[in-house]
Amino acid sequence: MPTLTIDGQQVTVEPGTTVLQACEIVGVEVPRFCYHERLSIAGNCRMCLVEQEKSPKPIASCAMPAADNMVIHTNTPQVKKAREGVMEFLLINHPLDCPICDQGGECDLQDQSIAYGAGSSRFHENKRAVKEKYMGPLIKTVMTRCIHCTRCVRFAEEVAGVEEIGAVGRGEHMEITTYLEQAMTSELSGNVIDLCPVGALTSKPYAFTARSWELEKTESVDVHDAVGSNIRVDARGKEVMRVLPRLNEDINQEWISDKTRFAYDGLRRRRLDRPYVRRDGKLVEASWNEAFETIAARIAQVDGMRIAAIAGDLADVEAMAALKDLMAALGSANIDCRQDGARLDASSRASYLFNSTITGIDQADALLIVGSNPRIEAPIVNARIRQRWLTGGLKVAVIGERPELTYDYDYLGAGPETLSDVVSGAHSFAEALRGAQRPMIILGQGALARQDGAAILDLARQLADAYGLIGDGWNGFNVLHTAAARVGGLDLGFVPGQGGRDVEGILAGAESGEIDTVFLLHADELDVDRLRNAFVVYQGSHGDAGVRHADVILPGAAYTEKNATWINTEGRVQLGKRAVFPPGDAREDWTIIRALSDVVGRKLPYDNLAQLRRRIADAVPHATAINDVVPAAWGQFGRSGALGDTPFTSTIRQHYLTNPICRASVTMEECTAVGQVAREGTGTHG
């Protein structure tokens, strides 16, 4: 391993380490614009110049491999003069518009020009102007500010997998553009905003709304899919102003999806901010006591087994735990968190987890995707697969729809028959799985949310057992969820008890009159018209599908408005924190259920969040392992049965409109419209 000396400090580094990385190891700061640790090296900006002994001129430390006996100086007069010259060149054409630039206050160019610039310029020529480029409804461009670092170009090509940004022209006429000046077709496009070291690419929805120093920053967890991306919620007063990624190498690295980043405007629209009660066929405003008394009067008239509860995709662990306790106290076993009807087996934790973990994708050498489109169901997971594919040695195959993924794959077939052929060894990809050191299967909800879902689950387990997916220190059996609440609900056992009904049974019972009262907890992704004959209590944050036939509406808090626990698709327990308070009379969900239990005469045994979490920990011991993944024991699950002949299809048809928050978002509506135009015009996914 090479050993070099940096500013008098000797350091030994791994082969292939650059001088810039070696400087970081010893704690020496080297300025940079084009270099980014997750992107390929470009060597464009030259801001990282350092002095190497016996070199006739300064070297670009980002592009120079560290070598034995190198002697590097980072703070000599020559280095200082070189950096001042580079900064002077970078600012030749950069406009002096910091007071109106959204990057102001968190701009790399501002910071480094103060730290490393000369403070004056010898150039008096007119600055060039570059027209703005259209990159869609999410990214605002002021390309006159661009310093041609090409971070956005490299991100689009290497991480997002869409080669839609590049440079045209040469020299002073060079411009960064999307070639045809159309919206980027990546679900990760907003990350170029964070990557841009100047204000050339900024957030269009956030433009001119706030300054960074005005915002209160809260670390939390995303709920728009089941990945549980780590985020930072920036708020001013009662309003969420933006959502940014937070570094977590085990989950989302430093990327987030566009839905995570831009759907926050949906938190302000169509909100439920006070209770409502239906009187004479119309919903009217009511007090909390009136709403609770109405529910209590109805419950008192019916047997417990005529009451049911469904937890939706945005329900937190605490709320589901409280609702489960209330249903048990009322004598009801009719509870279910599998809103889409997925045939998931709650008795075996390994049967519904992404067991290899998201970082385990980095080790896989054969991957079979069944009934899933990771690009729209979990863009962060899809990016991780692409990252592994780019290193070489990963064979990918798909059974189901022909998705437009960002990596090459072999298309095996459309439905259960193809999966059965792979399991039996009749398909050629079976040999790829058998010969792999780290084989992996990703089973999507498109394969499980169907009548033969239990048989598909059983078939996938057989494949895992037969082809070495389960081994010493490795479990390649993975279920990719689409709902943030799903794993938490299954861990809690929010599924039908002895003699209880699942979601389909509850809906059928409501139609026939056998189910009298239904509680919907953030449940909007189901056919609520089938509940028109039942007494419906809806608890949630938005006036979406779930309120259509509601008799009582209880206003709950959105994910940014409560301290809550979330368990992602790999079983990792994470804590979301309150960034703002709920609007109006809305309250945190578990507190509503606890207050209701008093009125209906079934008081729950906890009065604060700490007590509730202790109760959850007693029932689910791994819930205390915050930010960790507790491996699940392998066992028997699924149920053998007849396989259908219908093809697997993804359960998500509109990526940007998957929950009430997204459907209330103007930005997500624009993304959907732009994506529809892109699909019709070019046949690509938008």
Side-chain angles (χ1 to χ4, degrees), residues 517-538:
T517 302
V518 179
F519 285 82
L520 299 179
L521 178 63
H522 291 274
D524 296 273
E525 318 305 322
L526 44 76
D527 186 1
V528 294
D529 288 338
R530 299 176 66 183
L531 298 173
R532 63 173 68 248
N533 296 331
F535 182 86
V536 177
V537 179
Y538 178 82

Side-chain angles (χ1 to χ4, degrees), residues 16 49 67-68 86 100 107 140 160 226 314 316 369 371 389 507 510 551 613 644 666:
L49 293 175
D68 252 336
V86 169
I100 62 165
C107 175
K140 181 177 183 290
L314 299 181
D316 58 272
I369 300 173
W389 174 78
L507 296 177
D551 295 280
R613 284 179 171 169
V666 173

